Each structure stands twice: as structure tokens, then as C-alpha cells.
Amino acid sequence: MKKVFNLFDLTQKVNYKTEVLAGLTVAMTMIPESLSFAILAGFPPLMGLYASFIAGLITAIFGGRPGMISGGAGATVITLIALMNSNGLEYVLAAVALAGVIQIFIGLFKLGKFIRLVPHPVMFGFVNGLAIVIFMSQIKQFKTIVNGEVSWLTGTPLMIMAGLVALTIAIVIFLPKLTKAVPSSLVAIIVVFLLVYFLGIDTKTVKDIASVSGGFPPFHIPEIPISFETLTIIAPYSMVMAAVGLTEGLLTLNLVDEITETKGNGNRECIAQGSSNMLNGFFFGMGGCPMIAQTLVNLSAGSRARLSGIIAALTILIIVLFGAPVIEKVPMAALVGVMIMVAIGTFEWVSLKIINKVPKKDVFLVIIVAVITVILHNLALAVLVGVILSALFFAWESAKRIRARKYVDDDGIKHYEIFGPLFFASTTNFIEKFDVLNDPEEVIIDFKESRVSDMSAIEALNVITQRYHKIGKKVHLRYLSKDCIRLLKNAEAIIDVNIMEDPTYKIVENRIEY
């Protein structure tokens, strides 16, 4: 049977009890987060739950890999706050739909593979920063509003909240040592809920954040003027949202690949995420992307198939339609405890153990990416800065590797055998290798162990050949690969070099399929 969806792949062993329980646990942790970010952005609270239902269901069925959970994530919502404040909700919905279109095109043109350019230290920094953000967002639940002002809990309310959180954490830690038949996170939520309900304990509940009662997501075409001016307003926000969503999504996909030791499909994930955001734009959702915290909750509960994501999405819809009175009574302390454990599990503690065993530049990358993630909550910017810095570090290290072996043959010709890549960062070192004034009348530059890589390299060759030409000396380039020769041929307008042909020399071409 040809595999269409992993859920229906009969060769895959699916533990249906584990998948269902994992899905229920994920739904419980997703509800307060989606509501919180919707309120933070100034959206109607239900928009967060609609986004979690739509994004969760579409990506669970059509996404790039089993086990990933998508929903109304704060990473993408934060990008729309300014648009909400300046132009209102209708423009936000249009921007979400357009972001979905952009993501679909990125997937169709197979651009998702560029996530492979993210180095491992950047991944460490991203994950560690996100773990800190998750933890800090839970600490905020220890605050309350008194006389219109936000203040920390004190006295009995603080002791109750702290005690229930501690109980939740204890259950999550110790229950797996007794049994792994059910997810410890779900058991912790249920136990704390029953304890609060039957003992009549007065503590903060989901209802204190927002009501979760409503109807089926309504179809709604954004009421905005159809014009180029409108496009110029929403397009920048859509592009940023699409970039942030795909960055977090593909990084999450890579993380799940490592945890499960399996391979996901980044381009398929782009298309699924884009489709879900298009629907969000027309069904009153605030948009979303894969949620790393909920994904880790899902994986820690034992899920490895698509069913848990489907169950989580449908559970959220059922709660919105019918189960709000019960869910609104769930203590926030239980959800806070679960998410604190997720934050602890998300943090790459191994990155602290190897801090003295890896290059300092890698340690710097981990720290700077984590700091940007924590301070700005901008995952895309953090990763982009990390990738750019990593590329600059690599260029600097590669530039130092260029060297030349020099000798004069029996015919009095000076040979320079170049080792290492010739590119923008190594051109200065390359030019310094030559002794133009003292060299003989004829010079051969041998590129058998080197490579002319870019325009800066061509300019460097032009500089060195011009220096020899001015004092009447000849320069020959030998053993250039076919692509290097083609690069020089294309630059004949600015450089005139003598390329020596060697009919016996063959270049071995390595091809890498992606």
C-alpha cells in the first residue's frame, strides 16, 4: 500500500491509547497559551482557540512529520500586534491569509531545505532561549490584578499556587517511575483539578484568563479595500509572519527529527502550515505555527504518530463548543507546573557541560542566540543573527587557511602552488604571498589544490596579474577547474589572464543531491 499519511500507514505501529492521551494532554496545555497570546495582541480570545484548532488539525494530517503540534503560537502573533494597533482586525486576518500563501509558495519551490544552513550552536541557543521564555511566561501566572494594577501574589494565594505547582511537578517527575501507562502530565492536571474542585480551594483558573465558550469557527472574508495600497500595508507583516512561522516550524521539525531519530519533510511542512494560515485568515483564526513546547509535551507523553495532533485539535473544538464550563475550572497551577517541566526538558543541559570543550565562537553563538530569543521574543531574528555570525566565523577561519608553496624549476620559472579557497575573505592573504619585484620573468600560479570562488577572488587575480604586467613579467594560471575557468571567462571585461590548458589534467566533480 502506498503511504499517504503516517496515520494510515499500516506498517507503522500506533499505540492508540498513548496517542489519545497525549492529544488530550497537549490540548490542556495549548488552551491557556493560545488564549494568553490572543489577549496580549488585542484579539478576541476565541481567535487563539480557533487558530489552534485549524492549524493543529491541518498540520497534523498534512504536515511534514508525525509528532509535531501546531497552534496559535505567540511567535507569529507577536509579529501582528503593530498591524492590529494601526489598522484593526480585518487587516490582521488578511495578513494571516497572505502569510499562508507565501508559505505555500516557499514549500512548492522547495525552499524549506535552507533550514539546513542553521548550525548546531544556533540550534542550542534557540532551544535554550525558548526554554527560558517558556519558564518566564509561567512565572507571570504568579501575578494578579488588584485595584486595576498588576501585582505579585502574596500570603495564602501565593502558598496555594506554589503548593499546587509543586504537586504537579512532583507527579510529572515521579509517576513515570511507577507506571508509564498514561502521560504523567495529564494525570497531574486531573489530580490537581479534582483536588481543587472537591476541596473548594480558591485559586486561579483558566476562566480568569478568558472564556473558552463559543461556536464553530465562522467563515469570514476580511473586509478590506482591494487595492495595491492595502497590499503594501499588509505584505510586510505577512512576510515577517511567514518567515517567523517557518523558521520556528522547521527548527521544531529538526528537533523532533533528532529526538525520534527519523526524518521529516520540510517542504511538506511549509505547504501544510501555509494552508492552515490561509484557512485561519478566512475562519477568524489569529494564525499559527508549530509550537515547540506542546510538541515536546506530545513527545514526552509517548506520541510518535499523527493521531495525537488530530485528537488535540478536535479536543479544543469540542471544548469550545461543549466543554467550556469544565475546562474553565482547571487550575492554572496545574498547567503552570506542566509547562515548567516542559521548559526544564527543553533546555539543552548538555550545552552547559561542553562549554569548556567546544570553540569559544560556538559558545558565543549559543549565548547570543539565546539572549536575543529571551529579550526580543523574535525567533527569526535570533536564528538569522546566529546564522550570519556563524557564516562570518567560518569565512574568517577559511581565510586563514590559504597558503602557497613556492619553488623555481629548472627553466627558471617561479611556481606558486596555492592551497585553500580563494574568496572575499582570503584575497588579502593571497596577494601577500607574491614577491612581484624579485620574481623571475615568468610565473605560474597553480590552483590544483585551490578554488576561485567569487568576484572578490577574480579581482584579486586581476590585481596580482596587473602588478606583474606593469614590470613586464608573464603570469600563467594552471589547473583551474571548469567552473573557475567559466567564472573567469564571464569576467573577461575586467580581467585578462593567461590560463594554461593541461589536456591530461581532469577535475573530479562531486555532486550532492538534495
Side-chain angles (χ1 to χ4, degrees):
M1 176 188 289
K2 182 179 179 181
K3 181 172 71 172
V4 180
F5 307 130
N6 283 352
L7 176 63
F8 307 113
D9 177 14
L10 300 182
T11 64
Q12 180 186 19
K13 293 183 179 180
V14 178
N15 187 324
Y16 289 96
K17 183 185 76 171
T18 298
E19 294 296 317
V20 170
L21 293 177
L24 294 174
T25 306
V26 167
M28 293 300 102
T29 61
M30 195 184 298
I31 288 172
E33 185 168 342
S34 299
L35 288 172
S36 297
F37 280 114
I39 295 170
L40 174 66
F43 304 152
L46 279 176
M47 282 185 68
L49 298 183
Y50 288 155
S52 293
F53 162 63
I54 295 170
L57 184 63
I58 298 299
T59 57
I61 298 175
F62 301 106
R65 62 156 304 108
M68 278 180 60
I69 300 296
S70 294
T76 52
V77 173
I78 289 173
T79 64
L80 300 172
I81 294 178
L83 181 62
M84 178 66 183
N85 293 335
S86 61
N87 295 88
L89 187 60
E90 298 297 330
Y91 280 80
V92 167
L93 294 173
V96 170
L98 181 58
V101 174
I102 294 171
Q103 290 173 329
I104 290 173
F105 276 107
I106 290 175
L108 291 176
F109 286 104
K110 301 186 183 301
L111 301 179
K113 61 185 178 183
F114 286 105
I115 196 63
R116 299 173 187 170
L117 297 176
V118 178
H120 211 65
V122 176
M123 281 285 291
F124 270 166
F126 161 77
V127 172
N128 289 351
L130 198 56
I132 295 171
V133 170
I134 293 171
F135 180 81
M136 290 174 62
S137 66
Q138 306 315 308
I139 299 301
K140 294 177 182 178
Q141 298 300 331
F142 285 85
K143 294 181 178 180
T144 187
I145 299 177
V146 179
N147 297 326
E149 295 184 0
V150 178
S151 61
W152 291 96
L153 292 174
T154 58
T156 302
L158 175 61
M159 298 300 295
I160 292 174
M161 185 76 171
L164 293 176
V165 169
L167 175 61
T168 304
I169 292 174
I171 294 174
V172 173
I173 293 175
F174 295 109
L175 183 62
K177 297 180 180 180
L178 300 176
T179 179
K180 295 183 179 180
V182 291
S184 58
S185 299
L186 182 60
V187 173
I189 293 172
I190 293 174
V191 168
V192 173
F193 170 76
L194 294 176
L195 184 66
V196 170
Y197 181 77
F198 286 108
L199 295 183
I201 299 174
D202 183 18
T203 187
K204 193 176 183 180
T205 64
V206 171
K207 189 175 183 180
D208 294 321
I209 297 179
S211 172
V212 297
S213 178
F216 193 85
F219 178 73
H220 174 78
I221 298 177
E223 297 177 359
I224 59 173
I226 307 299
S227 65
F228 180 75
E229 182 182 357
T230 300
L231 182 62
T232 59
I233 293 173
I234 66 172
Y237 294 96
S238 297
M239 288 188 286
V240 173
M241 177 184 172
V244 171
L246 292 184
T247 299
E248 183 165 1
L250 295 175
L251 286 173
T252 304
L253 185 142
N254 272 8
L255 186 63
V256 178
D257 285 352
E258 291 183 12
I259 293 173
T260 61
E261 298 181 353
T262 56
K263 184 67 176 174
N265 187 322
N267 294 313
R268 179 172 170 179
E269 179 62 32
C270 294
I271 296 173
Q273 189 180 145
S275 301
S276 72
N277 279 326
M278 275 190 61
L279 288 175
N280 266 307
F282 290 103
F283 281 90
F284 228 76
M286 67 181 185
C289 67
M291 305 172 74
I292 189 169
Q294 279 67 30
T295 297
L296 291 171
V297 167
N298 190 43
L299 296 177
S300 65
S303 171
R304 293 295 182 272
R306 297 181 181 271
L307 182 58
S308 62
I310 297 173
I311 294 295
L314 293 178
T315 299
I316 290 174
L317 178 63
I318 292 172
I319 288 171
V320 171
L321 297 177
F322 310 108
V326 175
I327 298 303
E328 288 175 352
K329 295 180 181 178
V330 172
M332 284 302 302
L335 303 179
V336 168
V338 170
M339 295 307 293
I340 287 176
M341 290 306 300
V342 169
I344 294 173
T346 301
F347 195 90
E348 291 282 1
W349 298 100
V350 69
S351 63
L352 300 180
K353 296 180 181 179
I354 63 174
I355 197 167
N356 294 324
K357 302 177 182 178
V358 298
K360 292 181 179 179
K361 62 181 180 63
D362 289 341
V363 175
F364 175 76
L365 280 176
V366 173
I367 294 173
I368 195 67
V369 173
V371 168
I372 294 175
T373 302
V374 171
I375 295 177
L376 300 181
H377 289 204
N378 191 328
L379 305 181
L381 177 62
V383 172
L384 180 61
V385 170
V387 171
I388 292 174
L389 289 176
S390 182
L392 292 176
F393 290 150
F394 175 77
W396 177 255
E397 292 297 325
S398 298
K400 293 190 295 184
R401 293 194 182 103
I402 194 163
R403 61 193 190 281
R405 188 165 74 93
K406 311 166 189 177
Y407 66 92
V408 179
D409 63 19
D410 296 337
D411 297 323
I413 300 174
K414 180 76 171 284
H415 291 255
Y416 287 88
E417 292 183 352
I418 307 301
F419 295 83
L422 181 58
F423 67 113
F424 69 91
S426 62
T427 53
T428 301
N429 289 340
F430 170 76
I431 293 174
E432 291 174 352
K433 305 294 182 187
F434 297 90
D435 187 2
V436 177
L437 294 177
N438 299 317
D439 278 347
E441 297 299 314
E442 192 168 357
V443 173
I444 294 177
I445 306 177
D446 188 329
F447 286 91
K448 185 176 181 179
E449 300 297 334
S450 182
R451 182 184 183 87
V452 179
S453 302
D454 59 10
M455 194 68 189
S456 297
I458 293 175
E459 177 59 26
L461 289 177
N462 188 39
V463 169
I464 202 66
T465 53
Q466 288 293 333
R467 288 181 182 179
Y468 280 105
H469 179 71
K470 285 180 180 180
I471 58 176
K473 297 179 180 181
K474 290 184 179 181
V475 178
H476 305 277
L477 306 184
R478 186 165 66 176
Y479 291 154
L480 287 169
S481 62
K482 291 180 180 179
D483 55 341
C484 294
I485 294 174
R486 185 166 55 249
L487 196 62
L488 290 170
K489 293 288 186 185
N490 292 338
E492 283 181 343
I494 63 170
I495 182 172
D496 182 16
V497 297
N498 185 5
I499 300 174
M500 297 181 68
E501 299 290 344
D502 186 349
T504 64
Y505 181 72
K506 302 293 183 183
I507 299 294
V508 178
E509 294 184 348
N510 293 322
R511 295 188 177 183
I512 302 176
E513 298 291 340
Y514 288 101

